[in-house]
Amino acid sequence: MRAITLAAVLVLAACGSAASVAARAASPSPSAARQPASLPSPTAARTVHTSIDAAMGFKVDLLDPWRPSSCNEPPRTDGGIYIGRADFVVVDELHEIGTDVGRGYASVGVTVTDNKEGLSPRQWIEMGKIGTAAGTALRDVRFADRPAVQLVPGGTYVFADKGRMWAVGADLQADPSVKNAADAVIASFVLLSDDELAAARLGATPSPAPRRLDDVINGLAAGFARKDADGLALLMSECFGNALEKAGASFVTRAREVADLRAAFASGLTVVVAVTPVKGDALLGGAAIGSTWSGDGQPARSIDLSLRNDAGRWRWVATIRLQH
């Protein structure tokens, strides 16, 4: 698998984390990524705030410590099909980690995609367009002020609106104790009205300025030479992948990756970046450059730095340890 292909999978997966950067001599550890995260004290002040997703067009109310995932990305069109996903998690940025087999903490997910066949929610489910477990029953309900079908058990709601199909539900396998809090997030889900959507998009944070591939490559070389974790953070995506070539993959937030890098540099890690050759096909939006990691008590290893073009802005999105 080419580096850029794997990087795309990492970031678009329920985008975890590798073991620390200093331990990249080994493959990412799913068991490490699924360790229970430390949550804020129950006695800490808790407030409710409304989270508005201007790109997808909905809002939910979140009670601390729930927050939008740092790995949420803008909706995209894939093969002519619109796809959007947003997750809400109960851990802070340093504990938001996961692997290609899932997260180790509870989450609420919202998905939307084109319903070009004009299917009803029940038809959508029965045609297998959303995963269901054996024994799942379908219950006709109303959700978001629209006819919907609820999956029981599980509680996911599926409904249609304006040519698209939505699904709103929770993944509580890692922490069933937060079911009531997750149910409250789901119950607060509201689609934005046209006026609310226009206002939200008008007030949305402007897209960052374009950035060239060469600027990112040279920035990575300079940042690693200086062992400057904060400088490297400016080149990273908000959700960062770590993987072993043709094997396990994981993701972390940028905050976690930067913290791991800072600790690794303090432990003696040295990274030499090869600015050429550039691997992959930059015209298709993906590329990678090589690097050698050593000096931290581990054998020297070759790691590709995977890069991606997001709407004209290149970013460093993953590391992939090569098996040779």
Side-chain angles (χ1 to χ4, degrees):
M1 182 179 290
R2 290 192 308 167
I4 186 60
T5 303
L6 181 51
V9 170
L10 287 168
V11 176
L12 295 175
C15 206
S17 162
S20 70
V21 174
R24 281 201 179 90
S27 63
S29 169
S31 60
R34 296 184 66 84
Q35 291 176 352
S38 299
L39 300 180
S41 167
T43 60
R46 305 180 74 192
T47 58
V48 176
H49 58 95
T50 299
S51 177
I52 298 176
D53 191 310
M56 290 172 61
F58 73 90
K59 60 184 178 181
V60 291
D61 292 334
L62 303 176
L63 177 67
D64 289 341
W66 287 87
R67 63 179 184 83
S69 168
S70 298
C71 289
N72 288 342
E73 294 209 333
R76 68 190 191 280
T77 299
D78 189 356
I81 303 296
Y82 175 91
I83 301 170
R85 180 178 180 91
D87 289 295
F88 300 89
V89 298
V90 73
V91 295
D92 61 31
E93 284 193 311
L94 293 181
H95 293 92
E96 187 181 349
I97 60 181
T99 73
D100 46 7
V101 297
R103 294 182 168 103
Y105 46 87
S107 64
V108 169
V110 177
T111 63
V112 60
T113 189
D114 283 336
N115 179 20
K116 293 189 174 183
E117 298 165 286
L119 301 176
S120 69
R122 185 174 288 269
Q123 289 171 328
W124 185 271
I125 298 167
E126 290 175 343
M127 290 183 65
K129 292 182 177 289
I130 183 171
T132 59
T136 298
L138 305 183
R139 177 186 297 164
D140 292 319
V141 296
R142 287 191 69 81
F143 181 78
D145 201 28
R146 287 157 177 81
V149 171
Q150 183 184 22
L151 277 61
V152 182
T156 295
Y157 295 90
V158 181
F159 67 95
D161 181 73
K162 297 180 180 178
R164 289 176 177 164
M165 193 68 70
W166 292 76
V168 184
D171 180 357
L172 303 176
Q173 294 184 59
D175 190 0
S177 69
V178 299
K179 182 181 186 308
N180 288 343
D183 286 347
V185 174
I186 293 170
S188 72
F189 176 93
V190 175
L191 289 177
L192 299 179
S193 68
D194 291 342
D195 288 344
E196 289 176 320
L197 185 57
R201 289 178 175 172
L202 184 62
T205 302
S207 299
R211 184 167 57 196
R212 299 184 309 160
L213 175 60
D214 286 349
D215 292 336
V216 175
I217 291 174
N218 292 332
L220 288 172
F224 275 115
R226 296 193 305 267
K227 299 190 176 185
D228 179 7
D230 292 325
L232 292 169
L234 300 177
L235 305 173
M236 290 181 186
S237 61
E238 292 81 359
C239 190
F240 194 88
N242 295 304
L244 181 64
E245 183 183 29
K246 299 179 181 178
S250 58
F251 66 87
V252 289
T253 62
R254 176 167 54 196
R256 173 62 178 266
E257 185 71 12
V258 170
D260 286 348
L261 271 174
R262 189 178 294 112
F265 287 147
S267 298
L269 175 67
T270 296
V271 178
V272 178
V273 175
V275 297
T276 57
V278 177
K279 308 175 186 180
D281 190 339
L283 294 178
L284 296 179
I289 54 174
S291 66
T292 302
W293 299 49
S294 62
D296 54 352
Q298 302 285 349
R301 57 268 191 203
S302 297
I303 293 179
D304 274 356
L305 310 180
S306 189
L307 316 171
R308 191 180 69 196
N309 184 352
D310 290 322
R313 184 174 177 83
W314 282 89
R315 301 189 294 174
W316 178 29
V317 298
T319 65
I320 302 173
R321 180 175 177 257
L322 305 183
Q323 298 197 74
H324 61 72

